[in-house]
Amino acid sequence: MAKRKKIKEILASEEQGYETTVMGWVRSFRNNQFVALNDGSCLSTFQLVIDFENAEQAELKRITTGAALKASGEVIESQGRGQKYEMKVNNFEILGDSDAEKYPLQPKRHTLEYLREIAHLRFRTNTFGAVFRIRHHLAYGIHKFFNDKGYVYIHSPIITGSDAEGAGEMFHVTAMDLNEIPRQEDGSIDYKKDFFSKETNLTVSGQLEAELGALALSEVYTFGPTFRAENSNTTRHLAEFWMIEPEVAFNDLDDNMDLAEEMLKFLIQHALDNCMEDLEFLQQRLENEEKQKPQNERSPMPLIEKLRFVLDNEFVRLTYTEAIEILKKSKPNKKGKFQFPIEDWGADLQSEHERYLVEKHFKKPVILTDYPKEIKAFYMRQNDDGKTVGAMDVLFPGIGEIIGGSQREERLDKLTQRMEEMHIPAHEMDWFLDTRRFGTVPHAGFGLGFERLVLFVTGMANIRDVIPFPRYPGNAEF
Ligand code: ATP
Ligand code: MN
């Protein structure tokens, strides 16, 4: 059964005039003769030419859009235009019928919203085939990048007993019967009777565990699912998303920025090297999509040019304080165009501000550093000014924040003092503080939201369209 040649191999090869077998799904069937077959190995379909005069009518009728087909024959130079090779079919077999009337994917354009409702079938479209092949290559590229540098891949836990991280709202994990929740005398939930004998959640980040690894293995990274129950119905947030979190001993903030920039450029180059056919398709798709939009809402560059632009330019690095000065004096701020006007130092930056800096002011990726400590997490390293911490956010055009990271506070006294100020129970974090008690070193790391990277590289507009089965408020289908 498995003896088949992939369409990608056939089309890439210089060979012809040989017999082989292909299997895939019918995209279209024209003139009772020409099948466009796709097997997912690449975007292109392969043309099968059926000898319809000698085929059984009943069998020909079963070649419908969506049907699964096995065909054997000779690969020859194509007689028609539009493809290099085609197959002169000797015999074919329907592996799985598809009722053309009922098949939800008709050979026409469907909206992305409609395709999201049939996410189980959208893999079979050109757009989602391209998106998920690129997603695969980027995932592989991440492992390649870190492996080649000698990093150790750490699997951080998905169910966590630590709730002090504070990166976002958490999903509770329980095996309790919700109709009969065990309670203590004061009415509070008795987690001692739950599966883990304590309160547990789905992880929001693997960072703290990665830090434990880094303080022994020097250079580690995580790449796993993370969960946030934040009710943000945006095109940039999912309730379940994948995060890459490198953590490196002996790195300071500058090293951290260098690593982030190098990694992002490597991944974009990796996509250009491995996914050109899919990128060209998505570039064309984006162009068609944006034709209906007014000029000022269109992307400033075609997709592939945008990717090359990021490769060819150094990211702008500036401090939060410098950014606030720019934003204060900016046109949209003076004209009251920002939903959240920038008045004072200390304001949290919203995505409208991030995008102004990246898309309008610098027109380049930007790394912002040294944020006010009040708006950042407890574990970030305190600067000597007493006001800011060694944080860094990487901001990308069209996306906003793609990476958030920092140099970590390695000094025990400073760390515990900050935890106290932020009401983080130190006794629950003893395991974390032990790294600062025994052989602490400067270290730094960051989190890259995988879907935001895929969004950037594919040029898709909604994060729900770059993960196979998106989870967001009100939706956990499939
Ligand atoms: P944002 O401000 O965009 O909500 P954040 O500051 O909460 O993000 P971090 O906690 O710094 O994000 O997480 C690190 C990275 O994870 C972010 O830079 C982003 O790329 C990604 N990320 C965060 N939240 C989400 C989400 N809900 N869905 C998808 N990716 C996310
Ligand atoms: Mn962040």
Side-chain angles (χ1 to χ4, degrees):
M1 174 79 193
K3 276 240 167 1
R4 67 170 178 117
K5 208 166 167 84
K6 289 187 194 178
I7 290 170
K8 182 181 179 175
E9 284 169 36
I10 293 174
L11 299 181
S13 157
E14 291 302 315
E15 240 183 295
Q16 52 170 298
Y18 59 93
E19 299 270 329
T20 193
T21 299
V22 291
M23 298 180 204
W25 292 268
V26 175
R27 284 288 175 83
S28 67
F29 186 36
R30 287 187 297 120
N31 299 349
N32 221 14
Q33 190 177 14
F34 302 110
V35 177
L37 193 77
N38 186 281
D39 69 359
S41 62
C42 61
L43 184 87
S44 298
T45 55
F46 185 45
Q47 174 153 292
L48 311 178
V49 186
I50 309 267
D51 179 7
F52 65 100
E53 278 160 352
N54 294 311
E56 266 180 59
Q57 275 306 313
E59 286 300 292
L60 283 176
K61 282 220 169 72
R62 293 174 66 198
I63 306 179
T64 55
T65 301
L69 189 69
K70 171 182 180 178
S72 302
E74 192 185 353
V75 174
I76 57 172
E77 206 166 321
S78 183
Q79 314 295 301
R81 271 183 299 163
Q83 63 269 319
K84 196 159 111 189
Y85 302 124
E86 62 188 24
M87 175 180 276
K88 201 164 157 279
V89 175
N90 293 335
N91 54 69
F92 69 88
E93 182 191 331
I94 305 288
L95 298 174
D97 288 287
S98 167
D99 183 338
E101 308 255 292
K102 294 190 183 138
Y103 188 50
L105 289 171
Q106 296 299 315
K108 62 158 197 176
R109 271 186 71 84
H110 293 290
T111 66
L112 294 174
E113 288 73 20
Y114 171 71
L115 292 174
R116 223 173 279 146
E117 286 169 21
I118 52 161
H120 57 300
L121 291 172
R122 66 179 180 171
F123 289 110
R124 295 189 186 188
T125 63
N126 280 336
T127 298
F128 287 94
V131 166
F132 292 124
R133 275 186 298 269
I134 292 172
R135 185 179 163 109
H136 158 76
H137 281 286
L138 288 170
Y140 181 77
I142 282 156
H143 288 301
K144 177 159 175 49
F145 176 78
F146 287 115
N147 180 65
D148 289 356
K149 283 179 164 299
Y151 283 54
V152 177
Y153 177 29
I154 299 283
H155 295 98
S156 48
I158 290 167
I159 298 174
T160 160
S162 100
D163 61 354
E165 218 270 337
E169 295 294 311
M170 298 182 123
F171 288 101
H172 302 300
V173 174
T174 180
M176 290 189 293
D177 178 352
L178 295 184
N179 292 313
E180 267 177 74
I181 297 173
R183 297 198 180 266
Q184 293 173 310
E185 265 166 30
D186 64 358
S188 63
I189 297 172
D190 187 1
Y191 284 105
K192 288 225 165 54
K193 299 224 168 75
D194 201 356
F195 189 90
F196 296 108
S197 301
K198 68 180 296 197
E199 202 178 337
T200 50
N201 298 293
L202 291 179
T203 185
V204 292
S205 156
Q207 178 201 317
L208 300 186
E209 290 87 356
E211 281 190 53
L212 312 179
L215 267 75
L217 302 163
S218 295
E219 297 172 316
V220 303
Y221 70 106
T222 71
F223 185 178
T226 48
F227 307 86
R228 297 192 185 177
E230 51 197 8
N231 196 6
S232 30
N233 255 308
T234 76
T235 55
R236 305 278 175 273
H237 290 88
L238 290 163
E240 175 182 292
F241 64 100
W242 288 66
M243 189 139 64
I244 296 99
E245 295 180 277
E247 193 67 39
V248 186
F250 321 114
N251 263 12
D252 63 15
L253 194 63
D254 283 325
D255 302 321
N256 208 27
M257 286 191 272
D258 291 345
L259 180 67
E261 184 164 346
E262 187 190 346
M263 179 193 70
L264 288 168
K265 286 180 171 172
F266 174 91
L267 293 170
I268 289 168
Q269 184 67 58
H270 187 76
L272 288 169
D273 290 345
N274 292 283
C275 311
M276 199 36 101
E277 186 190 27
D278 288 326
L279 287 171
E280 277 168 355
F281 172 80
L282 291 172
Q283 168 167 283
Q284 191 56 54
R285 185 191 167 278
L286 186 63
E287 204 181 304
N288 297 342
E289 191 99 321
E290 290 189 337
K291 268 188 192 137
Q292 289 103 321
K293 288 188 175 177
Q295 193 73 39
N296 64 339
E297 284 175 30
R298 294 184 203 167
S299 314
M301 306 176 192
L303 180 62
I304 294 166
E305 196 180 321
K306 176 189 85 174
L307 298 179
R308 294 227 163 87
F309 180 83
V310 170
L311 284 183
D312 294 343
N313 285 281
E314 270 183 33
F315 297 4
V316 177
R317 299 180 184 192
L318 80 162
T319 65
Y320 166 91
T321 304
E322 290 164 327
I324 286 289
E325 283 312 307
I326 293 169
L327 288 168
K328 258 202 226 163
K329 290 186 208 134
S330 71
K331 242 193 209 162
N333 200 49
K334 286 185 171 161
K335 290 193 169 168
K337 289 271 162 66
F338 283 143
Q339 198 189 339
F340 299 90
I342 296 285
E343 278 152 17
D344 298 307
W345 191 92
D348 204 353
L349 297 185
Q350 305 295 327
S351 115
E352 57 180 346
H353 309 127
E354 297 174 345
R355 294 185 64 168
Y356 172 82
L357 290 170
V358 174
E359 290 159 29
K360 297 278 175 333
H361 189 83
F362 290 109
K363 298 192 164 70
K364 269 189 214 176
V366 171
I367 311 183
L368 280 187
T369 62
D370 303 293
Y371 284 72
K373 65 178 180 194
E374 281 74 23
I375 58 173
K376 287 289 177 187
F378 73 92
Y379 50 72
M380 298 191 178
R381 194 174 196 278
Q382 296 163 52
N383 289 329
D384 292 340
D385 62 11
K387 283 168 35 186
T388 59
V389 288
M392 58 165 231
D393 278 6
V394 182
L395 313 178
F396 259 33
I399 304 286
E401 179 185 330
I402 194 165
I403 281 180
S406 69
Q407 185 170 340
R408 317 306 188 188
E409 183 56 82
E410 84 283 12
R411 299 161 295 187
L412 182 65
D413 53 334
K414 298 253 182 203
L415 182 58
T416 48
Q417 172 216 329
R418 191 74 192 127
M419 285 170 72
E420 232 165 79
E421 285 167 14
M422 294 177 78
H423 307 293
I424 292 164
H427 62 275
E428 281 180 25
M429 300 286 288
D430 231 26
W431 50 274
F432 184 66
L433 295 173
D434 263 359
T435 53
R436 274 60 170 176
R437 292 191 183 107
F438 309 111
T440 190
V441 293
H443 61 287
F446 58 79
L448 164 68
F450 186 53
E451 284 74 19
R452 295 211 184 156
L453 173 72
V454 182
L455 207 51
F456 182 75
V457 172
T458 58
M460 299 295 284
N462 193 323
I463 199 162
R464 297 171 186 179
D465 294 330
V466 299
I467 186 166
F469 302 104
R471 272 80 182 91
Y472 49 90
N475 188 80
E477 287 307 308
F478 309 102

